[in-house]
Amino acid sequence: MALQITNNAGIFEINGSLNSQNTNSLKNYFEALINESGFIMISLNNTIDIDKTAFQTIINLYKKALSKNKAFYIVGHQNQKVVELFKEEKLSFLLNNNVA
């Protein structure tokens, strides 16, 4: 499934597979949002698959947002693949489970 990003009431839902082939699109999309908005929430709940390159891109976006004093939330507790990857990388504390 191709990558699809939809804005659902302010939550940017990432649907499909996140991989090294589409990380540039993901990066460009969210870097523009970081520059325009003070609050960004992404949901990985409907992401079919995510590889390490895409994971690192999301972490880099998170760091970039923080460096610009922007709120950047990552939601994904409903997706076991996402939860396991964040645990494996010892970054599960970044997953927000209070919304979406």
Side-chain angles (χ1 to χ4, degrees):
M1 179 179 190
L3 178 68
Q4 182 182 25
I5 302 170
T6 55
N7 183 348
N8 185 6
I11 300 170
F12 294 91
E13 295 178 351
I14 301 175
N15 302 298
S17 295
L18 277 173
N19 54 47
S20 58
Q21 296 174 355
N22 56 27
T23 53
N24 279 338
S25 297
L26 179 78
K27 179 179 173 252
N28 293 336
Y29 185 91
F30 283 104
E31 281 184 347
L33 279 174
I34 289 169
N35 290 329
E36 296 171 9
S37 176
F39 177 88
I40 298 166
M41 181 176 296
I42 65 169
S43 172
L44 302 175
N45 285 326
N46 295 321
T47 302
I48 294 171
D49 194 27
I50 182 169
D51 69 11
K52 298 263 181 153
T53 303
F55 174 81
Q56 194 57 51
T57 299
I58 290 171
I59 298 306
N60 289 339
L61 288 166
Y62 174 84
K63 290 176 181 178
K64 184 172 196 158
L66 287 184
S67 74
K68 294 183 175 224
N69 294 320
K70 309 285 179 114
F72 192 96
Y73 295 98
I74 305 167
V75 178
H77 277 283
Q78 295 175 7
N79 186 326
Q80 198 58 38
K81 288 181 183 180
V82 169
V83 170
E84 290 302 318
L85 183 55
F86 273 77
K87 280 183 184 177
E88 182 181 307
E89 297 296 323
K90 297 181 178 24
L91 293 171
S92 57
F93 65 92
L94 292 179
L95 285 178
N96 190 316
N97 62 356
N98 295 327
V99 290

